[in-house]
Amino acid sequence: MQRITYRVKVSAQGAKRRISYLLRPSKRLLNTKSNLVTSVNPVTSSRFARTKKLAQVSSIALLSLPAESFTTMDSQVPTYDHVMLENTLTIAAVPGDSTYFATDGFQHGFGYDLVRTYADELGVDVNLKAYASEKAALRAVKSGNADMALTTASTQLKSQLNLSSVNVSCGYDASLTKNGLHPKVSWTFNSANDPLSQKASYFLCDSIKLENTQKLAAFYNQNLLKDAYSQDHFQRTLTEKLPDYQSSFEEQARNYNHDWELLVAMGYQESHLDANAVSPTGVRGLMMLTNNTAKAMGVSDRVDPYQSIGGGARYLEQMKSDFADVPKTDRIWFALAGYNMGPNAVKSIQRKLRAQGIDDKSWANIYAYLAENRASNSRYGQAMHYVSNIRSYLETIKTQTV
């Protein structure tokens, strides 16, 4: 066994030396007079440089393959090297409450957020391709049209296509099911030996990452409107009350560049669309504005529905501006958290994360911090539920499941 291992290492080292030798300029060219060197066609030089780069990538790819691959002549460049060369991770995904949600400019989701975090760790962009079925998404990976798939496909289907997958919960399925998510959300790859698959497995199953995955699952909890009472109340409110205010929501949304259904979701969270609502702390109206916020937003009558919706829309736009440096995909969650607990409180959390070397512009990291510290600060727990609930209401309104 030791002898076999040694031969593989020698073969790998030999391959690397041979490729390096081939890429090395010949001594004859190095000794050529300078006037001949400067006369080389720039296009030819550029082509040679690109060919050399591809050869270097290919040499890395060959050396990263399993030992038996050195005996074959048709070895392909690993998907990982292709992703790094193109600086893009292409995902084949099927929309769903456990994978991703994309409607009217809102693109998010439990599985999608995990993929974005993985891409950030690799230092590449994400290109998401939507497919109507899990089989179609998996075939995209098989044919090379996608680098990986995000699905809830069965093990049998993945086996039929001879694909390898990693469960995003890394075996802790209960952390997903208790939040109403599919227990078998997975990332699927062409080969288990590809570094892209291997790195994904390490990424998902790292103890710290796994803990954050479980917290992210709590944010994407799908149980909020599952019970009959909640469903009935939500449906009756939208059926009986929304028609009275819909034109106001639509107009104020246009005034402040919002999606009007997002404002509806906020209104339901704040007051269940009750224009006369009053809380024990003194906030009032459909959007439950404080007296100070109402004055700052130019609202003279907090129980006037049109003014209340306008004040809430204007304040939300201000929050979005305060977090303009946050990527658009996560910005709305930051803005909603700022709307609920104040922008300075959110920015304080960001500073603490930055001090720890943690990405402070990722909502997953902000949410994880809120979850970890909510016992010591009740506002953190409130903000968690506030943002998560609005996300759930918005998705329900968008998909018209009520």
Side-chain angles (χ1 to χ4, degrees):
M1 188 66 184
Q2 292 178 344
R3 183 176 299 174
I4 294 173
T5 304
Y6 174 75
R7 286 178 178 174
V8 170
K9 288 182 178 179
V10 169
S11 298
Q13 292 168 356
K16 190 172 183 180
R17 284 197 298 271
R18 286 194 294 274
I19 292 171
S20 298
Y21 176 79
L22 290 172
L23 294 175
R24 186 179 61 192
S26 69
K27 291 182 180 180
R28 183 175 60 82
L29 287 176
L30 291 175
N31 293 329
T32 303
K33 291 183 180 180
S34 59
N35 63 330
L36 292 176
V37 173
T38 56
S39 65
V40 175
N41 189 319
V43 175
T44 303
S45 177
S46 175
R47 287 175 179 170
F48 174 77
R50 178 161 181 79
T51 302
K52 179 177 177 180
K53 182 177 180 181
L54 289 172
Q56 290 171 328
V57 171
S58 298
S59 70
I60 296 172
L62 285 169
L63 294 173
S64 67
L65 289 171
E68 61 268 20
S69 296
F70 288 106
T71 63
T72 64
M73 296 301 293
D74 59 350
S75 298
Q76 296 181 348
V77 174
T79 305
Y80 172 77
D81 291 338
H82 170 75
V83 169
M84 300 309 291
L85 184 64
E86 297 296 326
N87 196 41
T88 302
L89 179 63
T90 300
I91 312 298
V94 180
D97 57 13
S98 301
T99 51
Y100 84 98
F101 178 91
T103 303
D104 292 346
F106 288 93
Q107 190 175 58
H108 57 267
F110 170 66
Y112 177 65
D113 280 10
L114 286 177
V115 169
R116 287 196 300 119
T117 306
Y118 179 47
D120 287 343
E121 185 152 305
L122 295 177
V124 299
D125 298 325
V126 173
N127 175 30
L128 189 145
K129 293 182 177 180
Y131 289 84
S133 70
E134 293 175 331
K135 190 172 185 178
L138 295 178
R139 285 191 178 279
V141 175
K142 189 68 178 178
S143 64
N145 289 323
D147 303 313
M148 59 181 274
L150 168 64
T151 71
T152 57
S154 66
T155 302
Q156 181 181 8
L157 180 56
K158 289 178 283 191
S159 297
Q160 288 174 356
L161 295 170
N162 195 28
L163 298 171
S164 173
S165 68
V166 183
N167 191 322
V168 300
S169 69
C170 207
Y172 291 88
D173 295 356
S175 64
L176 303 188
T177 55
K178 73 178 183 181
N179 289 298
L181 297 169
H182 197 291
K184 298 301 181 183
V185 184
S186 63
W187 295 352
T188 304
F189 305 87
N190 235 326
S191 170
N193 295 321
D194 195 292
L196 188 68
S197 174
Q198 294 170 344
K199 288 177 180 291
S201 181
Y202 294 141
F203 172 84
L204 290 169
C205 297
D206 174 82
S207 59
I208 295 177
K209 294 285 184 8
L210 187 57
E211 186 178 344
N212 287 340
T213 295
Q214 294 167 357
K215 290 170 183 171
L216 189 64
F219 172 64
Y220 281 105
N221 190 307
Q222 299 295 314
N223 294 324
L224 184 61
L225 293 173
K226 294 296 184 183
D227 65 278
Y229 174 80
S230 298
Q231 286 183 9
D232 181 64
H233 188 277
F234 190 67
Q235 186 172 15
R236 281 192 295 106
T237 301
L238 265 60
T239 301
E240 297 173 4
K241 294 185 177 181
L242 181 57
D244 293 336
Y245 310 127
Q246 183 168 334
S247 61
S248 295
F249 276 117
E250 292 176 343
E251 183 176 340
Q252 295 290 24
R254 288 193 296 271
N255 292 340
Y256 297 100
N257 193 31
H258 296 305
D259 184 297
W260 74 272
E261 289 171 318
L262 171 62
L263 296 182
V264 173
M266 292 175 64
Y268 185 82
Q269 170 64 25
E270 292 285 0
S271 68
H272 291 171
L273 302 186
D274 182 357
N276 297 308
V278 182
S279 82
T281 58
V283 293
R284 303 186 65 179
L286 197 149
M287 301 299 279
M288 297 297 276
L289 303 175
T290 65
N291 194 40
N292 289 337
T293 300
K295 289 181 179 179
M297 297 300 109
V299 175
S300 59
D301 184 357
R302 287 185 288 168
V303 297
D304 178 272
Y306 183 80
Q307 287 194 44
S308 183
I309 294 169
R314 183 178 178 185
Y315 189 50
L316 180 63
E317 182 60 22
Q318 183 175 307
M319 293 301 98
K320 287 166 67 175
S321 297
D322 283 351
F323 296 102
D325 59 337
V326 173
K328 187 177 180 180
T329 308
D330 280 356
R331 191 179 306 156
I332 188 60
W333 312 137
F334 278 75
L336 289 171
Y339 188 103
N340 177 256
M341 64 189 300
N344 291 333
V346 179
K347 290 179 181 294
S348 175
I349 294 173
Q350 287 185 287
R351 287 193 294 272
K352 292 174 182 177
L353 292 180
R354 280 199 303 272
Q356 299 174 44
I358 300 173
D359 182 7
D360 66 306
K361 295 178 179 61
S362 163
W363 173 249
N365 293 337
I366 297 291
Y367 189 85
Y369 183 92
L370 294 172
E372 290 167 2
N373 296 278
R374 59 182 168 178
S376 61
N377 190 328
S378 61
R379 295 172 66 199
Y380 291 171
Q382 293 170 5
M384 287 171 59
H385 293 302
Y386 183 83
V387 182
S388 185
N389 288 357
I390 290 175
R391 175 203 56 76
S392 184
Y393 298 144
L394 176 64
E395 290 179 1
T396 305
I397 294 170
K398 291 289 185 188
T399 53
Q400 299 180 351
T401 57
V402 295

